[in-house]
Amino acid sequence: MKILPLTQRPAWKALTVHHKKIAGKHLRELFAKDPKRGEKFTASAAGLFLDYSKNRVTAETIKLLVKLAEESGLKARIEAMFTGEKINITENRAVLHVALRAPKGAKILVDGKNVVPEVHAVLDEMAKFADRVRSGAWKGHTGKRIKNVINIGIGGSDLGPVMAYEALKHYSQRDMTFRFVSNVDGIDFVEATQDLNPAETLFIVSSKTFTTLETMTNAGSARDWLLAGLGGNKKAVAKHFVAVSTNAEKVSAFGIDTANMFGFWDWVGGRYSMDSAIGLSTMLAVGPENFRQLLDGFHQMDKHFRTAPFEKNLPVLMGLLSVWYNDFFDAQTVAVLPYEQYLKRFPAYLQQLTMESNGKHVTLDGTKVNYNTGPIYWGEPGTNGQHSFYQLIHQGTRLIPCDFIAFAKALTPLGRHHDILIANILAQTEALAFGKTPAQVKAEGTPARLVPHRVFEGNRPTNTLLADKLTPETLGKLVALYEHNVFTQGAIWHIDSFDQWGVELGKALAQAIIPELESKTPPKLKHDSSTNALIKRYRKMKA
Ligand code: F6P
């Protein structure tokens, strides 16, 4: 199917005209017109319920957005992903995170080879290892049981594991300590290890490439710390280090026995890897059975994404709504606001997933885009954010579409807390949609001069996602929902959501600057005058 450039697609043109009609309409009006709106503009899948009625859309908008998805070849692109086509064209790679959670009997071919058996073989190895560590059968070099696990990784080799550990803490083995070191700022490592006994500590070095500067620097310091604490016998490394990587050669060069390496494949992108062996720390924390539940949740959402009609398809609807605000309302950001303290790292996780995927300025064929691509994703858990940045969402001059996330049941109920929490999420979406008119403010007896300050314009769009309770399975569904939401956006924008060339330049420049900072004699500097002067100043200040 020939895909026209985005702005030439008939649905895009129709949406441009349609937007002019909708932009002036208030949600108050849309709700008043249709008393069933709050029930109609909803969809559910795999136990996740989405209320998108408080968006600035009509049935016509959804029809046109769905048409846009069709004209963008979304269906074919979904199939291309699920069948292992090399849709990451700039790296000539398949994009198969969906294979990581495919059931045992499934068949997904990459270059003619079914990858599912390998996926399950690694999962089985991980489970065996996790059981040994959790039960105390795996001993450290001095014969002590492993009590502490430190994942060393960055980006996709850190954000998913940290997020999942925090999200699933309720299910974790509480007599073990889990920490995550990512930053090359030495403080990250120092703080993570300062109260730990090396004899009881296991490091998981997680790096797809096993070349990432931060991770290799931290792994080196971890090895030094361990050997210093255990009398310098290099044999200790085998009992205290395992690796998760696609690069066996580099793992072995580092000194980790490849028997203690858990592999994955180049068709798993870093930011899509928390359900691969990169999730080893998650499995150690919550156990193999819970990890399998997590994978099952992912898979349920995968099936929904692949098969449900677009107008009932949660990730497709959410992706299309993001495109709607990003490209037609010129919204710059999307806020993700989980009303669930365990999801406190979810927005940080989503930042990489969304922005490394869709922060692109050219289409698949290299043409510069003439429309906005990936919005900025950000957020914090509620209700904390309400006492911080919500002011701007309610009364600022920018339009910030928000995803509110809540669960019907608290994992550890405590008095009235959960009802109060949920009352707040409902109150926020209500306030954002309907606001408060000058007449309402006046009727409350507000002095005239204060009326403008106390008016809430409303008409601020929100999605509400509701699920029963936060389980490993639900977490899998939620993450897959956002993965496929990102996929949908990328398909509309016709960009490669799976490469990340934008991170390379800074990495290369840092490699050139490191020796200039470390050299004993003044280096010959060939940067711009600002960078040269800053290097000189830093060298002088640190002396
Ligand atoms: O810097 C970007 C990046 O390549 C991410 O895409 C990736 O998740 C991260 O670095 C870590 O890479 P690795 O797992 O190879 O250490």
Side-chain angles (χ1 to χ4, degrees):
M1 165 184 170
K2 172 147 175 53
I3 296 165
L4 291 169
L6 180 55
T7 55
Q8 288 173 29
R9 291 175 214 157
W12 181 272
K13 291 184 184 163
L15 280 161
T16 309
V17 176
H18 175 72
H19 172 253
K20 293 204 171 75
K21 276 195 264 162
I22 290 290
K25 285 208 191 307
H26 200 289
L27 280 166
R28 287 180 202 129
E29 192 186 330
L30 297 177
F31 270 86
K33 243 194 202 154
D34 180 0
K36 291 235 154 69
R37 183 180 169 88
E39 286 149 51
K40 273 191 205 156
F41 289 77
T42 62
S44 52
L48 293 191
F49 175 78
L50 168 69
D51 175 350
Y52 63 98
S53 64
K54 294 190 183 90
N55 277 288
R56 292 170 66 174
V57 296
T58 60
E60 176 69 7
T61 323
I62 299 298
K63 210 171 97 192
L64 290 174
L65 285 170
V66 164
K67 202 158 161 262
L68 179 66
E70 284 160 6
E71 288 173 9
S72 306
L74 177 60
K75 189 85 205 148
R77 204 156 164 78
I78 294 173
E79 274 315 293
M81 171 170 73
F82 275 88
T83 52
E85 259 181 55
K86 297 194 173 163
I87 60 168
N88 176 359
I89 53 153
T90 70
E91 295 179 309
N92 193 30
R93 285 177 183 167
V95 173
L96 269 182
H97 39 281
V98 294
L100 298 170
R101 52 262 192 160
K104 238 180 194 152
K107 197 170 171 189
I108 302 176
L109 303 180
V110 177
D111 293 329
K113 187 174 168 212
N114 184 12
V115 297
V116 178
E118 280 180 67
V119 166
H120 282 272
V122 173
L123 276 172
D124 291 345
E125 284 306 311
M126 288 165 66
K128 260 194 250 158
F129 176 71
D131 282 338
R132 289 183 68 197
V133 174
R134 285 162 63 86
S135 68
W138 176 286
K139 301 270 190 276
H141 179 64
T142 64
K144 285 199 166 178
R145 180 183 178 156
I146 296 297
K147 285 197 188 145
N148 318 307
V149 174
I150 301 187
N151 184 76
I152 298 179
I154 198 163
S157 302
D158 167 70
L159 290 161
V162 182
M163 182 278 288
Y165 170 68
E166 292 294 341
L168 301 178
K169 212 176 204 165
H170 177 80
Y171 305 88
S172 69
Q173 185 154 324
R174 298 288 184 152
D175 61 358
M176 290 179 73
T177 298
F178 290 85
R179 295 201 179 143
F180 300 84
V181 172
S182 54
N183 202 330
V184 77
D185 183 339
I187 288 306
D188 206 11
F189 181 81
V190 169
E191 284 295 335
T193 49
Q194 53 88 22
D195 56 344
L196 302 185
N197 177 357
E200 299 174 337
T201 303
L202 174 79
F203 290 98
I204 306 174
V205 185
S206 296
S207 175
K208 182 174 169 182
T209 54
F210 231 73
T211 56
T212 304
L213 177 64
E214 293 90 335
T215 301
M216 290 303 107
T217 308
N218 278 318
S221 298
R223 191 175 43 194
D224 294 347
W225 177 81
L226 182 95
L227 293 178
L230 295 182
N233 186 343
K234 288 204 169 108
K235 278 196 183 145
V237 171
K239 294 280 173 205
H240 293 269
F241 276 79
V242 296
V244 179
S245 186
T246 56
N247 192 340
E249 216 174 288
K250 294 262 189 245
V251 168
S252 157
F254 179 85
I256 297 177
D257 186 348
T258 45
N260 296 332
M261 169 181 153
F262 300 88
F264 60 116
W265 306 271
D266 73 351
W267 41 261
V268 184
R271 54 195 176 271
Y272 297 89
S273 67
M274 62 168 275
D275 47 343
S276 70
I278 290 290
L280 185 62
S281 59
T282 314
M283 194 190 266
L284 282 163
V286 302
E289 184 42 39
N290 278 319
F291 196 81
R292 289 195 191 275
Q293 297 289 322
L294 174 82
L295 297 182
D296 183 49
F298 271 103
H299 181 63
Q300 289 179 50
M301 187 51 69
D302 293 344
K303 270 201 294 194
H304 168 73
F305 180 53
R306 192 176 183 182
T307 56
F310 289 166
E311 59 280 6
K312 290 189 182 150
N313 193 312
L314 261 59
V316 171
L317 284 168
M318 288 180 73
L320 290 172
L321 286 166
S322 293
V323 170
W324 176 233
Y325 295 118
N326 187 68
D327 293 295
F328 293 93
F329 286 79
D330 209 16
Q332 311 277 317
T333 80
V334 177
V336 179
L337 309 164
Y339 277 58
E340 169 58 69
Q341 189 61 19
Y342 281 127
L343 286 183
K344 65 178 179 199
R345 294 284 299 186
F346 191 57
Y349 167 77
L350 286 183
Q351 285 181 357
Q352 187 199 14
L353 178 68
T354 58
M355 295 197 267
E356 200 167 57
S357 295
N358 284 341
K360 307 292 160 66
H361 70 301
V362 293
T363 61
L364 289 167
D365 54 21
T367 315
K368 184 140 184 358
V369 296
N370 56 352
Y371 42 85
N372 281 329
T373 60
I376 298 155
Y377 274 76
W378 59 287
E380 275 289 318
T383 57
N384 291 8
Q386 292 176 201
H387 300 272
S388 161
F389 52 81
Y390 277 39
Q391 165 65 36
L392 187 146
I393 306 180
H394 282 285
Q395 284 191 318
T397 54
R398 295 171 195 282
L399 185 77
I400 303 184
C402 305
D403 292 347
F404 283 84
I405 303 172
F407 299 89
K409 297 185 187 109
L411 289 174
T412 313
L414 180 65
R416 298 170 58 223
H417 285 247
H418 202 65
D419 283 343
I420 296 173
L421 178 72
I422 300 303
N424 271 280
I425 191 172
L426 298 175
Q428 288 301 323
T429 59
E430 189 176 9
L432 286 165
F434 301 103
K436 207 185 225 184
T437 63
Q440 288 171 314
V441 178
K442 264 185 228 150
E444 287 170 351
T446 309
R449 72 181 174 86
L450 288 184
V451 170
H453 297 276
R454 300 187 62 166
V455 163
F456 287 69
E457 284 173 354
N459 219 11
R460 267 67 170 166
T462 60
N463 286 319
T464 303
L465 273 167
L466 196 60
D468 186 47
K469 67 176 180 186
L470 181 55
T471 60
E473 190 186 325
T474 318
L475 182 69
K477 291 172 194 172
L478 199 58
V479 174
L481 170 67
Y482 277 91
E483 286 177 347
H484 300 323
N485 169 350
V486 166
F487 184 96
T488 300
Q489 298 173 25
I492 306 290
W493 293 320
H494 204 54
I495 54 178
D496 190 333
S497 301
F498 304 102
D499 60 12
Q500 56 285 320
W501 298 105
V503 302
E504 294 304 327
L505 178 59
K507 284 187 193 173
L509 292 178
Q511 288 292 4
I513 294 173
I514 293 167
E516 294 170 347
L517 301 185
E518 288 182 336
S519 93
K520 296 273 177 285
T521 52
K524 246 197 168 156
L525 298 174
K526 291 189 190 136
H527 305 274
D528 59 278
S529 61
S530 160
T531 310
N532 284 345
L534 286 166
I535 290 172
K536 282 187 202 146
R537 187 172 288 268
Y538 170 76
R539 286 180 56 91
K540 211 159 135 197
M541 286 167 83
K542 75 163 187 170

